[in-house]
Amino acid sequence: MSQLVVMGNTSLKGEIKASGSKNSVLPILAATVMIEEPVVIKNVPELRDVQTMISILQQIGKTVSFENETVTVMPGEILVGNVPYELVKKMRASFNIIGPLAMICGWAKVGKPGGCNIGQRPVDFHLKGLEAFGFRITEEHGDVMAVIPNSFEKEIVYALPFPSVGATEQLMTTAALMEGSKITIENAAREPEISDLQNFLNACGAQIAGASTPTIKITGVRNLHGSEYSVIPDRIETGTYLLGTIATKGDVKIHGTRSDHLISLLSILEEMGAGIEKGQDYLHAFWKGPLKPVRISSEPYPGFPTDLQPIITAVLATVEGTSVIEENVFENRFGYVDELNRMGARIKVSSSHANICGVDKLSGAEVVAPDIRAGAALVIAGLAADGETIINNVTHLFRGYERFQEKLRTLGAKITFYPDEE
Ligand code: EPZ
């Protein structure tokens, strides 16, 4: 298993630049399936998940190049309608291909994603939405088959049971090409990545309005043209480094960020007594003295982001007093708590709540990273702890954090990566 060895008692200090948003690039790349002209996407982070999505596009017939943070997607001669499970199981977001691919090929067959360490993660909202659009959906041998109808209803309204990010993106993208139809998605997710996707699709000639609100309206058009688009910075990466700075009593400035995408985190950090300076396009975090315990509930945007829940828990583990974290998005996102407790944290989990009783200091230990964000939480805990922490299964990290080791070393971290034995 790949390992990251982290030396403790390190304060993160210095300046880094935010990377482009992974969770913006992935749905935008999925949408390029529907565009028969060249598309240029800039500010793309070099991540395994981006590579996976690129290989899926190549597999179905697109010609894709990726250099200097720029992905160019050229139309392919033929597009095939199926995406094998071995690619879908590597990354759940690849399921967002099924609607766009069906719109182009008339049908699409995509492996149904499995669960992961943070929950079952079904795709029923995606499928019910496509059925509401008139698609015929069948499932067999672990694959989902979607077939478009001969014609679409003129007016379609679909209310999501929960503001699912992926389902909102899938349905908004698919609806863009439903020519002659007016589609309303209610109870839509409001994340900044949804607005980024809307802006990209409209730059390609789509007619979509309402992203960032619970109601998104789409007027289907005949086709989409090529465009050049630069994605937003990664708010979860930025939040991770801000929290790492505070956990290690450091002082870090992150350039190329959007503080308006992190309002809930920034207000919690200020409530905790952390030093925060918001610039036009940078955020500066610094240690001001002992932090205060807080109560946090993770919620769909604009609430506190579930992806930062493991990471702020690692910070609160050494904040005097009792903090409480409630996880309201995923049903199983406290898997990392046992690992933090191995490092001396005193955290009790009961159903969707974690009660954190702050201790003076964590101590380095050998731990296992269950997913991307929990992995980052364990790295941050290791930087602040006494002694050395060995984190196993760290390849998750490279799916979500561009140049993770390089950025941490720039900020003074002493870390060594031991790849999987081949
Ligand atoms: C996106 O996942 C992000 N991934 C996740 O980030 C993020 O944690 C999540 O949104 C919530 O913000 C990408 O954007 C690639 P959801 P997604 O659909 O779309 C349930 C990371 O580390 N649900 O909003 O899969 C689901 O089980 C990742 O970057 C259904 O029940 O999340 C969950 O409990 C982790 N049926 C809740 O809704 C469905 O059809 C929210 O899921 C879809 C979702």
Side-chain angles (χ1 to χ4, degrees), residues 215-262:
T215 304
I216 296 177
K217 289 187 179 299
I218 304 111
T219 302
V221 295
R222 173 183 294 274
N223 53 39
L224 298 173
H225 55 72
S227 77
E228 185 166 309
Y229 189 80
S230 186
V231 303
I232 56 173
D234 194 314
R235 61 192 170 96
I236 303 300
E237 182 205 33
T238 297
T240 302
Y241 285 106
L242 293 174
L243 287 162
T245 302
I246 301 307
T248 59
K249 300 185 171 61
D251 184 321
V252 172
K253 193 177 215 179
I254 308 172
H255 295 278
T257 62
R258 289 277 304 266
S259 52
D260 59 318
H261 291 169
L262 282 160

Side-chain angles (χ1 to χ4, degrees), residues 242 259 262-270 276 278 283:
L242 293 174
S259 52
L262 282 160
I263 292 169
S264 60
L265 170 68
L266 296 174
S267 59
I268 288 278
L269 283 173
E270 280 159 356
I276 292 287
K278 297 171 208 162
L283 280 165

Side-chain angles (χ1 to χ4, degrees), residues 158-164 168 185-190 213-216:
Y158 176 64
L160 278 162
F162 180 90
S164 151
T168 302
I185 301 171
E186 292 176 343
N187 197 24
R190 301 167 55 193
T213 78
T215 304
I216 296 177

Side-chain angles (χ1 to χ4, degrees), residues 22-23 26 92-93 118 121-126 162-167 169 191 306-307 329-331 333 372-373:
K22 163 177 89 79
N23 292 350
L26 295 176
R92 169 191 167 75
I118 58 177
R121 303 187 77 181
V123 287
D124 51 336
F125 302 161
H126 297 241
F162 180 90
S164 151
V165 172
E169 291 164 346
E191 275 70 0
T306 173
D307 289 346
V329 176
F330 289 102
E331 75 269 23
R333 197 162 201 174
I372 303 177
R373 309 303 175 186

Side-chain angles (χ1 to χ4, degrees), residues 2 11 39 58 68 143 217 233 236 260 269 275 320 325-326 330 337 349 365 375 417:
S2 57
S11 281
V39 176
Q58 290 165 333
N68 305 326
D143 289 333
K217 289 187 179 299
I236 303 300
D260 59 318
L269 283 173
E320 192 180 350
I325 301 236
E326 184 177 355
F330 289 102
V337 164
V349 174
F417 174 56

Side-chain angles (χ1 to χ4, degrees), residues 370-391:
D371 63 75
I372 303 177
R373 309 303 175 186
L378 293 170
V379 170
I380 285 167
L383 289 166
D386 259 338
E388 176 183 275
T389 297
I390 299 171
I391 300 154

